Amino acid sequence: MSKAYVLVVDDEPDIRDLVREILEDEGYSVATAESAEVARQRLQEHRPDLVLLDIWMPGEDGISLLKEWTSTGALGFPVVMISGHGTVETAVEATRQGATDFVEKPLSMGKLLVTVDQALQPSATTSAGRPAMIEPVGRSPQMRALRETAQRVATSDSWVLISGESGSGRKCLARYLHGLSPRAGGTLVELGAGALTGGAGTEQLFSEAEGGTLILDEVADLDSEAQARLAAAIEANKQDVRMMATTARDLEGEVAAGRCRSDLYYALGVVPMQVPPLREHVEDVPELVAFYVDRLVERDGLNYRHFTVAAQNRLRHYQWPGNVRELCNLVQRLLVLGEQVEIDVNEVEQALSTPSSTGGAAETWPPPIGLDLPLREAREQFERAYLQQQLQRANGSVARLARLAGMERTHLYRKLRALGIDPKDASETAATGERG
C-alpha cells in the first residue's frame, strides 16, 4: 500500500528540499511549490492528500490561500500550517480557517512526521475536522480509574491541569475529556507553549475558543513574560471557554522554585489529573500492543505481525522510560523491519537493546580508532563507522536508521552530511549484496 501524496508549499528552497527528502524516505509521494500561485497549479494537476503550507511567503501568504480554499469549497484535504514567526493570532486563525494543525520553524522533523501521520489518519478527525476522541487504553486499575475520573470531570466546566511524564498520553486525555464533554460540538483550539513566547499576543486566545475548549500543551515551558501575559488574559477573560493545560513537570514544584507564577498555577489547576507512567500499569502492555498493531496496519498499511506470549511478557517487564509513545514506536519499528509473521522474544530483546554489531560485520566492530587523534576526530571516526554500519543494517533507509540510532531526523540528516555519508551508497551496497 503506497503512502499519501503530500504538497509542500514554502518559499525557502532548503526547507522544501529537506521536507521532500524526508517524506519521500518515509514512502510519501511529494510535490513542492514555492508560492501560492504555484500551489494552485499543483492543486489542479493532482489533488493532494495533505498540504504543508507556510504562512509567511512573498506575495500571497498561506492564510489567504487557505481562506481561498475554504471559501471556494476546495478544501477537501487536511492542511498543516508552518510558520517561523508564529503567534497566537496566526495559530487560531489558521485553525478557524480549517487547518488541522500548526507547526513552528525551525522544524523538528520527528514532530513534523508525527503531525503528518496524525493529519492523514482517517480516524484522527471527525467530519467537522476536530480530533477524534480516543479512549485511554488499558484494563488496569490505574487506567480504569483514569477513565472513570475523566467521565466525571468531563461533565463540568472546571479547568483541568493534566500532569504526566513525556510520552504518557496527556494530550490524548485532554482530547478525550473534550470529546466526552457538552462542548464536544464546539471549537477545539490546541496550542503549544511556544506559540505564547516571544511577545505573542493573547487577545484572541479565548475568543477563538468561545463555546469550546482550549488546550495549552507543556504550560511549564512558558517563560516569565508569557506567564504574566497569560495570567492577565485569564484574569480579564469573559469568554465561555474551558481551558485544559498539560505539563510534564511538577507545576507545584515549579511554583516553589520560583519558575512558575502561583496565580497562574491556581487558575489552571482547578481539577488536577495525573496520567500514570506505563511502568506503573505494565499489565496493559499486551492490550496496548494489540491496539498499536491494529492501528499501524490500518493507518500505514504495514504488514500484520503477531507478538508471541513470550515477547509480550518481555515487554511487560521493561521499564518504559518513554512510556506509551516509546511502546508505539517500538511496535512500529518491529512491524517495519521484521519479515516473519511472528515476533518472538529474541526479536523484541534485540529491539530493546542497542545493537553493537550486525551480521557478518561483527568481526570489524568496534572500528579501529587512533588513540593519538584529538577527541573530536576520534569521535567523528566512530560516528562515521557506526552510522555506516547501521545504514547497512537498515538497507540504506534513513527512516530505519533514525529508529535504530535513536536520532531525530533533522539532526541525523545533518550528521550524515557533515560526515560525508550518502545513504544511497548503503542502499546500492545492500542491493548488490542481495543480488550476489
Side-chain angles (χ1 to χ4, degrees), residues 387-389 391-398 416 419-433 435:
L387 291 173
Q388 286 174 333
Q389 195 153 7
L391 261 174
Q392 292 283 345
R393 184 167 181 253
N395 293 326
S397 168
V398 179
L416 292 175
L419 295 173
I421 300 174
D422 187 348
K424 295 184 178 63
D425 293 341
S427 179
E428 292 170 0
T429 301
T432 302
R435 289 194 296 268

Side-chain angles (χ1 to χ4, degrees), residues 35-271:
S35 66
E37 181 180 357
V38 177
R40 292 189 185 94
Q41 297 174 6
R42 297 285 185 269
L43 193 62
Q44 292 179 351
E45 295 167 358
H46 188 174
R47 189 175 189 83
D49 297 302
L50 170 69
V51 173
L52 300 177
L53 180 59
D54 188 24
I55 291 181
W56 307 113
M57 297 185 293
E60 191 171 355
D61 64 274
I63 294 289
S64 298
L65 182 59
L66 178 62
K67 287 181 179 178
E68 175 188 309
W69 288 340
T70 302
S71 62
T72 60
L75 189 63
F77 43 82
V79 175
V80 173
M81 305 302 295
I82 304 174
S83 174
H85 305 283
T87 65
V88 172
E89 288 79 4
T90 54
V92 297
E93 175 66 9
T95 301
R96 191 171 66 85
Q97 293 300 328
T100 59
D101 213 331
F102 183 95
V103 295
E104 295 174 303
K105 297 177 183 177
L107 296 176
S108 162
M109 290 303 159
K111 165 65 175 174
L112 181 63
L113 287 173
V114 170
T115 302
V116 167
D117 278 344
Q118 292 176 341
L120 286 167
Q121 290 179 39
S123 59
T125 57
T126 65
S127 59
R130 294 181 296 272
M133 179 183 69
I134 300 177
E135 183 175 271
V137 176
R139 302 179 186 179
S140 63
Q142 294 92 331
M143 297 308 290
R144 286 201 304 268
L146 184 66
R147 287 193 296 271
E148 291 170 0
T149 301
Q151 290 162 9
R152 291 195 301 271
V153 172
T155 59
S156 74
D157 261 347
S158 300
W159 288 17
V160 183
L161 177 63
I162 301 175
S163 304
E165 295 180 6
S166 178
S168 59
R170 290 163 289 132
K171 191 185 291 187
C172 179
L173 177 61
R175 291 171 175 169
Y176 180 61
L177 285 166
H178 172 76
L180 287 177
S181 75
R183 296 175 177 269
T187 303
L188 176 60
V189 175
E190 298 183 21
L191 288 177
L196 293 176
T197 60
T202 56
E203 292 78 6
Q204 288 185 280
L205 186 60
F206 294 100
S207 62
E208 292 294 341
E210 173 71 27
T213 303
L214 172 64
I215 298 176
L216 182 59
D217 194 32
E218 295 294 2
V219 65
D221 290 345
L222 292 172
D223 58 29
S224 58
E225 181 185 353
Q227 288 183 34
R229 285 187 282 104
L230 179 59
I234 291 174
E235 180 68 24
N237 173 50
K238 304 298 181 184
Q239 307 292 332
D240 176 24
V241 175
R242 184 184 199 182
M243 178 178 278
M244 300 183 194
T246 75
T247 178
R249 301 186 214 168
D250 174 13
L251 216 56
E252 188 173 3
E254 294 292 298
V255 172
R259 292 187 292 267
C260 179
R261 294 172 60 102
S262 59
D263 55 349
L264 184 60
Y265 168 68
Y266 292 123
L268 296 175
V270 176
V271 177

Side-chain angles (χ1 to χ4, degrees), residues 383 387 407 410-421:
E383 289 177 341
L387 291 173
M407 293 181 67
T410 306
H411 297 158
L412 178 57
Y413 270 94
R414 290 172 180 166
K415 177 63 71 175
L416 292 175
R417 289 168 180 167
L419 295 173
I421 300 174

